[in-house]
C-alpha cells in the first residue's frame, strides 16, 4: 500500500469502536440471571448462539410439553452469532462446489434440504415477529481477476448442465449496473439462496421466542463438566448442576465437553469493519440498488453487504489461526488487519474516499477440515453435538439443530440418513504440526491468488486428501 493510501486508511479507522457493530445496539437485552443450585429437565442445551437457540426452540415446537433448559457461558449471541457478516445462506455444505466434491451422490438432496431450511428460517422470523432486518436479496460472487471470471463462467455452465437454477451470470457491465466498482470484472448472482440479516437481532429474537415457549435460560452459566448419572446426564456449572435426560451441545468453537471431539475443530479469527451510514450521494456513486450480499472469488476473499441504515460491512481476507488453538478476547482486535482491510476497501470503492469506519472487530470461527458441519452422539446417545460450520453457520445451524434432535430421539430421518451426517472430517494434527500446516496452506493460497489461481503441490495434495483451510 502506498504511503498516501496507507495514511488515508489509517485516518478512516482512527475512531472506530473496538466492538461488533451488531452488538453495539440499544436494543440489546439485559442478561438473565445465572444458575444457582440444581436444575432438572428433559433436555439441556449448552450454548446460546444460533446452534443452541435453534435447538431449544425446535425442541419446544416438536414437543411443547418437553422441559428445556438452555445455559450460556456469557450472554446470548455474544460470540460468533453476534459478530458475523449476517449472510444467511441456504447451503449446508459451505457452497455447492464443496458439496459436490464431497457428497456428489446426495448433493441434490442436500441442496433441497438447504433451500427448505432457509425457507423455514424466513417463516420463523415472520411467525415469531423477530425484527432482524431479514432481506432475501441473494448474493453475488464477484470476479476481480481474469482467471476468476473464467472460473465463474465455467461454473455457471456446469450449474446449467446439472440443472441447478436460480443463478445468473453477470458480465462486467451488468455487474457494475448492480454495484459499481472499478475492480469488478463479472459475477454470479444467486438470487434466492442467501438472505441478509442483523445477526445479533436474530439471536436476541430467538432468545425471546424460546422464553415465550417456556424454555428456561440461564446466562453467565458455563458448562464445566459432563458426566453420566442414572439414566441421564449431569452438567456441572459454577453455581450448581443441571440434571437432564438428554444434552445438546451447541458450543461450536469453544472446547467441547465431549473431549474426543476437540481435535476436529480449530479456531480461525476473522475480522470486519463497518462504515458510517452512507449519504444519498455516496450510495448513488456505487449503486447497489438491489442490496445483495457480495463476496469476491479470491482464496483470501472479502465479504461485504449493506446494513439497514446503509452502512457497508467489509470483512474477511485475513484468517488468523493462533498457535495451539488459543481463544482470547485480546485476539478480537488486530490493528494491522484493520488497516489492511481499510486500504482494500478504498481500492474496491475509490468513489467513497473519506468515508470513516465506526466499528472494527473480530471473533473466532469454528473451522473443520471439510469446511461444513459434522454431527454425532456420545454417552450412548444421551448427548448430541454439531460443530465445524466454518463461517456459514447463520443458516446451517438450524439444520444442525434438527439433526441433533433427530439423533437424541434415535430417529431415522432423511437428515440422519445422509452420508454428510454419518461421516466425520479428518481431525487436525497436534501442535506444532497443525500450526505449520495451516500456515503453509495460507501462504500457498495467497501465492495462488497472485499467480492466476495456480495451486502449488501442497494445495493439490490437500485437495486430493479432501483437506483444506478456509480464508
Amino acid at each position: 500500500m502506498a504511503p498516501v493510501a496507507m495514511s488515508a486508511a489509517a485516518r478512516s479507522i482512527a475512531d472506530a469502536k473496538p466492538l461488533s457493530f451488531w452488538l453495539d445496539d440499544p436494543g440489546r437485552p439485559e442478561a438473565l440471571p445465572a444458575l444457582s443450585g440444581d436444575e432438572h429437565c428433559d433436555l439441556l442445551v449448552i450454548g446460546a448462539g444460533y446452534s443452541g437457540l435453534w435447538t431449544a426452540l425446535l425442541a419446544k415446537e416438536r414437543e411443547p410439553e418437553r422441559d428445556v433448559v438452555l445455559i450460556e457461558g456469557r450472554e446470548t449471541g455474544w460470540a460468533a452469532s453476534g459478530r458475523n457478516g449476517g449472510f444467511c445462506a441456504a447451503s449446508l455444505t459451505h457452497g455447492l462446489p464443496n458439496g459436490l466434491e464431497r457428497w456428489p451422490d446426495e448433493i441434490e438432496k442436500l441442496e433441497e434440504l438447504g433451500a427448505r431450511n432457509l425457507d423455514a428460517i424466513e417463516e420463523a422470523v415472520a411467525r415469531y415477529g423477530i425484527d432482524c432486518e431479514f432481506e432475501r436479496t441473494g448474493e453475488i460472487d464477484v470476479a476481480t481477476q481474469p482467471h476468476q471470471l473464467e472460473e465463474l463462467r465455467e461454473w455457471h455452465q456446469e450449474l446449467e448442465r446439472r440443472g441447478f437454477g436460480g443463478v445468473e451470470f453477470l458480465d462486467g457491465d451488468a455487474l457494475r449496473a448492480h454495484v459499481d466498482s472499478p475492480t469488478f470484472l463479472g459475477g454470479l448472482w444467486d438470487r434466492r439462496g442467501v438472505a441478509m440479516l442483523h445477526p445479533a437481532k436474530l439471536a436476541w429474537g430467538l432468545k425471546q421466542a424460546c422464553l415465550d415457549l417456556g424454555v428456561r435460560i440461564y446466562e453467565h452459566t458455563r458448562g464445566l463438566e459432563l458426566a453420566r448419572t442414572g439414566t441421564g446426564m449431569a452438567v456441572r456449572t459454577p453455581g450448581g448442576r443441571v440434571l437432564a435426560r438428554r444434552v445438546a451441545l451447541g458450543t461450536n468453537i469453544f472446547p467441547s465437553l465431549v473431549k474426543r471431539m476437540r481435535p476436529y475443530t480449530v479456531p480461525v479469527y476473522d475480522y470486519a469493519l463497518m462504515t458510517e451510514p452512507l449519504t444519498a450521494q455516496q450510495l448513488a456513486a456505487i449503486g447497489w440498488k438491489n442490496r445483495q450480499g457480495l463476496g469476491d472469488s479470491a482464496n483470501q476473499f472479502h465479504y461485504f453487504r449493506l446494513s439497514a441504515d446503509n452502512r457497508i460491512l467489509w470483512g474477511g481476507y485475513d484468517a488468523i489461526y493462533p498457535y495451539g488453538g488459543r481463544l482470547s478476547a485480546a485476539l478480537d482486535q488486530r490493528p494491522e488487519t484493520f488497516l489492511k482491510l481499510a486500504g482494500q476497501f478504498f481500492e474496491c470503492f475509490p468513489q467513497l474516499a473519506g468515508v470513516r469506519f465506526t466499528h472494527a472487530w473480530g471473533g473466532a470461527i469454528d473451522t473443520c477440515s471439510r469446511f461444513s458441519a459434522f454431527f454425532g452422539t456420545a454417552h450412548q446417545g444421551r448427548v448430541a453435538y454439531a460443530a465445524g460450520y466454518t463461517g456459514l453457520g447463520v443458516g446451517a445451524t438450524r439444520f444442525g439443530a434438527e439433526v441433533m434432535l433427530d439423533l437424541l430421539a434415535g430417529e431415522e430421518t432423511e437428515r440422519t440418513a445422509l452420508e454428510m451426517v454419518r461421516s466425520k472430517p479428518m481431525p487436525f494434527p497436534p501442535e506444532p504440526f497443525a500450526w505449520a500446516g495451516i500456515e503453509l496452506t495460507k501462504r500457498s493460497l495467497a501465492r495462488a491468488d497472485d499467480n492466476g489461481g495456480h495451486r502449488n503441490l501442497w494445495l493439490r495434495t490437500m485437495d486430493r486428501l479432501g483437506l483444506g483451510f478456509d480464508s
Side-chain angles (χ1 to χ4, degrees), residues 421-436:
V421 171
R422 292 186 286 112
S423 64
K424 294 281 193 301
M426 185 174 290
F428 289 93
E431 298 293 12
F433 304 106
W435 186 87

Side-chain angles (χ1 to χ4, degrees), residues 325-339:
R326 180 170 58 97
L327 292 169
S328 169
L331 298 173
D332 294 345
Q333 292 292 306
R334 197 166 193 267
E336 60 268 41
T337 292
F338 297 143
L339 181 62

Side-chain angles (χ1 to χ4, degrees), residues 18-41:
L19 175 67
S20 166
F21 168 78
W22 310 117
L23 296 173
D24 187 21
D25 190 291
R28 183 173 182 168
E30 292 291 326
L32 296 170
L35 175 65
S36 178
D38 286 356
E39 260 282 19
H40 297 78
C41 60

Side-chain angles (χ1 to χ4, degrees), residues 51 75 88 118-119 163 187 213 219 226 239 243 305 317 354 430 465 471:
S51 189
E75 295 180 24
C88 186
L118 182 55
D119 288 342
L213 292 184
E219 295 180 308
L226 180 69
L243 304 172
R305 48 79 55 99
Y317 192 78
L465 294 174
S471 73

Side-chain angles (χ1 to χ4, degrees), residues 10 20 38 45 65 72 138 169 184 189 253 401 417:
S20 166
D38 286 356
V45 181
E65 301 307 312
E72 162 58 41
F169 180 80
F184 291 175
W189 181 11
I253 193 51

Side-chain angles (χ1 to χ4, degrees), residues 350-411:
Q351 58 271 59
L352 296 181
V355 164
R356 309 282 288 207
F357 293 98
T358 61
H359 295 75
W361 72 94
I365 294 170
D366 61 324
T367 296
C368 72
S369 61
R370 73 182 194 189
F371 298 157
S372 52
F374 62 92
F375 315 89
T377 61
H379 294 281
Q380 296 183 317
R382 301 177 188 186
V383 177
Y385 54 81
Y389 292 96
T390 317
L392 251 69
V394 179
T397 44
R398 185 192 175 280
F399 174 81
E402 296 269 28
V403 171
M404 285 196 285
L405 292 171
D406 289 349
L407 293 173
L408 289 173
E411 294 177 351

Side-chain angles (χ1 to χ4, degrees), residues 3-70:
V4 173
M6 183 176 293
S7 178
R11 287 195 302 273
S12 73
I13 59 175
D15 299 321
K17 290 184 181 179
L19 175 67
S20 166
F21 168 78
W22 310 117
L23 296 173
D24 187 21
D25 190 291
R28 183 173 182 168
E30 292 291 326
L32 296 170
L35 175 65
S36 178
D38 286 356
E39 260 282 19
H40 297 78
C41 60
D42 297 321
L43 173 66
L44 170 64
V45 181
I46 302 179
Y50 298 141
S51 189
L53 291 163
W54 281 117
T55 303
L57 183 67
L58 292 170
K60 292 296 284 187
E61 288 184 350
R62 290 187 181 194
E63 295 181 43
E65 301 307 312
R66 177 159 30 186
D67 191 21
V68 179
V69 168
L70 172 61

